[in-house]
Amino acid sequence: QKPNDLLQEHFPILGKRIEFHHFINRMSFWMTMGSGKTIVIIKLVELLDKAMESGLIPKKNILFFTANEGLLDRFKKEVDDYNLLKGQSEDKKIDTINLKDYEDRQKFGNVFDSQLIKLFCYRADLMSDERKEATLDFKDYLDNGNNYVILDEAHKGDKQESKRQNIFSILAKNGFLFNFSATFTDESDIATTVYNLNQAVWVKKGYGKKLFLLDNDLKAFKEKSDLNEIEKQRATLKSLLLLSLAKKYKLSNVYHDPMMVVFTNSVNTVEADAELFFRTLQTIAKDDLEDVFNEAKNELKNEFKATKYLVTDKDGEGISELAEQVIQISFNELKELVFYAKNGNIEAIVNPKDKTEIAFKLDSTDKPFCLIKIGDISSWLKEKLKGIKIDETFKEESYFKSLDDSSINILLGSRAFYEGWDTTRPNIMLFLNIGMDKEAKKFVTQSIGRGMRVESVDGSRQRIDFIDTDKKADISQNAKTLETLFVISTNKEAINSIVSWQEEQNKGIDWHEVSLEKNEVNDKTLFIPTYKLHKISANKINNKNSFKLSSKNREDLKIYVNNL
């Protein structure tokens, strides 16, 4: 890599580069969302402390960084749960200390420090090479690089030369760097990956929903005019049919209550994507759209017969058996399953104490079916809900915070809510006019990861086929829909991006473990790799292994090969 000024100050330069062996003191853990990253990090902190106490590794500070305030709060909550689990035992508890208090804790300590594992925590995006308000200067915590640094989704920026990544490498220069993420892109992180449980591996091991990408997209929502209302209705009905299918075959006392999540690009603008989708829902709830509904049903049936899962534990597995199930759903049945009534006018429910969400129900039922979650609902109340009755509620807990136990079937909003919530409920995920720049790609892939958690029977986090249970015979037939995440997007470019990302994830599946043999050298135990031959077909050899020839040499080689 080309060293920037920051790296040049802290690492020796050979020729015009810094040798990679200066950055080899790191381990990367490629773990998808919902695969237990936080638990592994907490156990790592505990093991580092035990190893330091036993003299197996040098004593150093442990620093933890994560991407934003929401993730930091969630991590601290998990640590609190861990400490609670320890109860009155003699095991040490973890003390999460704000990095700002680093100097005071180093100087004065705490009377209980010997019973605590000190873990200094901060937001990765607030680490820099100069101090401002909340931003910290890494040099104040450098200690000549004698730190064990743990990163959790802290690689935003992603470039090898990004200042923040260099800062973490410098902080761990004479210590060690542990990097945890669901979406590695940096080659040095991938090269130092010691554990791969990325999304493709995770699904193949049975730990997540299988991904089904619908080819029929939501392009009708690109047009803001009313001329293509029928196309909007058909696209929306198709997604509601998927939701109805999941809810119709919901199993009592096992799995989750299925839900649809709709991510929109615009929320508060004129003719915003969220508004267009909401208006279409309004029409479906109120009007008789039997013909459009039947068209949507037939399209979905054909797609079920023709399309395969993106990733599954069975090669070429499809979903054709659902084709006949979807055909049997009637329009009234869809309305009952989604809206909780066959007809009615939509009413809004707002809480004056909460300016971020609006719930909707039909006037013929008391159960809210839809929730709009946005940064500020004031423009919706003024402009977009004209003619809609608005009820006030003083509900203590927000609908969003109690999603798992609420009647909400459709969650609609912008990118704002994709982080900081965990639920197994999503079975359908829509991306309305979400672009395909670098940030959008990351958003789409991480959002999909959020929708893939599964909890089948007896709290198990694996799909039913992977569990040894006597309930399997009763459940397997209906589990297919509940164990699938259906993804629909506005454009083919987005679809292709998801496919290529999934293929990238798949590359990790065929990695091979290297066995190690013990060797004694000068009373030290060394582990030396032993290699075995691995057969691979020529068409699977990575293109990076190719080499270049001049055209003359190429012709000579062809003549030589032909003469053999």
Side-chain angles (χ1 to χ4, degrees):
Q1 87 182 65
K2 289 181 181 178
N4 67 10
D5 295 343
L6 210 53
L7 287 180
Q8 288 184 53
E9 291 172 25
H10 295 273
F11 291 97
I13 300 167
L14 185 66
K16 290 186 178 180
R17 68 170 187 264
I18 297 174
E19 295 288 295
F20 181 61
H21 69 78
H22 292 293
F23 304 98
I24 205 70
N25 58 331
R26 61 172 69 193
M27 288 183 189
S28 297
F29 296 78
W30 195 351
M31 298 177 71
T32 193
M33 285 163 193
S35 63
K37 277 204 305 283
T38 308
I39 296 164
V40 175
I41 291 170
I42 289 170
K43 291 304 290 181
L44 170 64
V45 171
E46 183 184 63
L47 289 170
L48 283 173
D49 181 72
K50 283 185 178 174
M52 284 191 278
E53 270 194 346
S54 306
L56 292 170
I57 58 174
K59 290 197 172 182
K60 301 178 193 292
N61 287 318
I62 309 174
L63 311 181
F64 171 81
F65 299 98
T66 190
N68 57 48
E69 200 66 44
L71 291 174
L72 189 55
D73 288 343
R74 281 174 57 213
F75 175 75
K76 287 178 178 176
K77 185 184 178 303
E78 291 273 1
V79 171
D80 289 342
D81 290 345
Y82 162 87
N83 288 337
L84 204 60
L85 200 65
K86 292 290 178 187
Q88 301 301 313
S89 71
E90 291 183 12
D91 288 346
K92 282 186 173 182
K93 295 179 174 61
I94 296 173
D95 185 15
T96 51
I97 307 162
N98 190 313
L99 192 58
K100 279 186 171 180
D101 302 328
Y102 173 89
E103 205 168 300
D104 289 343
R105 282 302 288 270
Q106 296 298 81
K107 272 185 192 172
F108 308 111
N110 181 313
V111 70
F112 300 111
D113 269 359
S114 59
Q115 287 93 45
L116 296 170
I117 302 169
K118 285 194 285 187
L119 179 64
F120 295 100
C121 306
Y122 212 63
R123 278 169 53 179
D125 58 326
L126 295 177
M127 294 303 292
S128 187
D129 56 346
E130 55 182 342
R131 188 182 272 268
K132 299 174 188 170
E133 294 179 28
T135 304
L136 302 183
D137 184 346
F138 81 95
K139 294 187 287 295
D140 294 338
Y141 315 96
L142 184 54
D143 195 16
N144 195 30
N146 282 298
N147 298 295
Y148 297 119
V149 177
I150 301 170
L151 306 179
D152 176 25
E153 296 295 356
H155 59 292
K156 292 196 173 175
D158 281 340
K159 295 176 185 171
Q160 277 184 316
E161 291 180 21
S162 103
K163 183 191 281 186
R164 205 176 303 137
Q165 296 314 301
N166 292 338
I167 283 170
F168 297 136
S169 293
I170 295 164
L171 281 171
K173 178 186 170 186
N174 293 312
F176 210 88
L177 184 68
F178 302 91
N179 202 348
F180 291 79
S181 178
T183 49
F184 281 134
T185 54
D186 191 314
E187 284 185 13
S188 62
D189 289 327
I190 294 167
T192 54
T193 293
V194 295
Y195 183 65
N196 177 25
L197 193 58
N198 69 21
Q199 196 182 81
V201 176
W202 190 62
V203 170
K204 281 183 177 281
K205 287 177 180 283
Y207 288 105
K209 296 186 188 110
K210 293 178 278 193
L211 198 58
F212 189 91
L213 210 51
L214 274 87
D215 192 41
N216 286 312
D217 53 43
L218 302 162
K219 58 181 177 288
F221 283 92
K222 284 183 178 178
E223 304 294 330
K224 306 297 182 187
S225 72
D226 293 336
L227 298 174
N228 63 348
E229 282 305 301
I230 290 174
E231 283 87 349
K232 287 192 185 87
Q233 290 162 9
R234 188 164 57 236
T236 306
L237 278 165
K238 209 175 294 179
S239 63
L240 295 180
L241 269 163
L242 290 167
L243 178 59
S244 303
L245 192 65
K247 289 189 78 70
K248 182 174 180 177
Y249 293 100
K250 158 84 177 82
L251 297 148
S252 59
N253 302 321
V254 290
Y255 289 94
H256 54 275
D257 184 17
M259 179 176 74
M260 179 162 79
V261 182
V262 186
F263 292 105
T264 61
N265 192 45
S266 56
V267 176
N268 283 324
T269 58
V270 176
E271 296 281 275
D273 304 319
E275 183 184 2
L276 292 176
F277 188 83
F278 173 72
R279 277 196 216 146
T280 309
L281 274 182
Q282 230 180 329
T283 308
I284 291 167
K286 194 169 66 172
D287 296 347
D288 180 10
L289 302 173
E290 197 76 41
D291 291 344
V292 186
F293 172 75
N294 287 329
E295 284 174 24
K297 207 157 57 168
N298 284 318
E299 279 184 20
L300 203 53
K301 174 188 171 184
N302 294 335
E303 190 145 9
F304 279 166
K305 286 185 173 179
T307 314
K308 305 291 180 193
Y309 281 118
L310 266 192
V311 175
T312 175
D313 49 302
K314 303 177 185 79
D315 288 338
E317 187 186 7
I319 209 163
S320 56
E321 63 267 41
L322 298 185
E324 295 312 313
Q325 289 181 357
V326 80
I327 282 295
Q328 290 166 22
I329 295 175
S330 69
F331 193 28
N332 279 342
E333 191 176 15
L334 177 143
K335 287 186 171 187
E336 289 276 10
L337 289 164
V338 174
F339 304 112
Y340 301 113
K342 287 176 186 172
N343 49 53
N345 296 304
I346 287 183
E347 295 181 344
I349 306 166
V350 296
N351 188 337
K353 292 181 179 178
D354 190 340
K355 301 291 183 187
T356 66
E357 61 181 47
I358 312 169
F360 295 95
K361 70 176 190 68
L362 296 190
D363 55 9
S364 47
T365 176
D366 291 329
K367 293 167 79 172
F369 72 91
C370 177
L371 181 70
I372 289 183
K373 169 75 174 165
I374 51 182
D376 181 12
I377 62 171
S378 53
S379 71
W380 273 72
L381 295 175
K382 284 179 199 167
E383 302 155 18
K384 302 186 190 305
L385 298 181
K386 286 174 183 172
I388 291 178
K389 183 185 172 187
I390 297 174
D391 290 328
E392 285 195 351
T393 178
F394 288 87
K395 193 171 177 280
E396 282 302 309
E397 192 171 18
S398 78
Y399 286 104
F400 184 68
K401 285 180 181 170
S402 55
L403 265 182
D404 281 353
D405 304 312
S406 80
S407 62
I408 299 297
N409 287 327
I410 301 168
L411 178 60
L412 173 63
S414 64
R415 302 181 186 194
F417 64 73
Y418 92 98
E419 273 185 347
W421 59 293
D422 295 312
T423 179
T424 55
R425 286 193 63 192
N427 275 109
I428 297 90
M429 201 168 271
L430 274 58
F431 295 95
L432 277 185
N433 291 328
I434 303 286
M436 276 297 110
D437 56 27
K438 187 177 179 185
E439 276 307 302
K441 278 184 188 178
K442 192 162 186 177
F443 165 75
V444 168
T445 55
Q446 288 188 336
S447 301
I448 288 172
R450 276 203 179 276
M452 292 187 75
R453 295 163 197 256
V454 75
E455 187 173 339
S456 53
V457 297
D458 304 325
S460 174
R461 294 302 180 122
Q462 279 184 295
R463 299 193 300 275
I464 193 70
D465 286 349
F466 289 79
I467 302 164
D468 185 17
T469 173
D470 52 7
K471 298 177 185 175
K472 194 174 290 191
D474 304 325
I475 289 172
S476 288
Q477 188 180 354
N478 290 348
K480 193 107 180 179
T481 321
L482 298 168
E483 294 182 345
T484 300
L485 179 67
F486 300 95
V487 176
I488 315 175
S489 185
T490 304
N491 55 43
K492 288 286 192 287
E493 189 186 1
I495 298 282
N496 292 336
S497 175
I498 295 168
V499 172
S500 62
W501 164 72
Q502 197 66 65
E503 286 171 353
E504 195 68 33
Q505 296 272 305
N506 265 315
K507 284 181 186 174
I509 290 176
D510 295 323
W511 292 356
H512 299 280
E513 290 184 10
V514 176
S515 57
L516 299 174
E517 286 185 354
K518 253 188 196 182
N519 288 269
E520 300 290 335
V521 181
N522 297 333
D523 300 323
K524 300 284 184 188
T525 302
L526 297 177
F527 291 94
I528 299 174
T530 61
Y531 299 95
K532 59 185 177 185
L533 288 174
H534 176 64
K535 289 181 180 177
I536 184 166
S537 59
N539 65 330
K540 286 190 177 174
I541 295 174
N542 195 314
N543 287 334
K544 287 180 182 174
N545 296 336
S546 62
F547 56 92
K548 291 176 181 167
L549 288 173
S550 69
S551 55
K552 184 180 185 311
N553 281 354
R554 187 167 176 271
E555 286 307 310
D556 288 347
L557 181 63
K558 278 169 76 175
I559 293 164
Y560 174 72
V561 171
N562 288 335
N563 286 335
L564 284 176

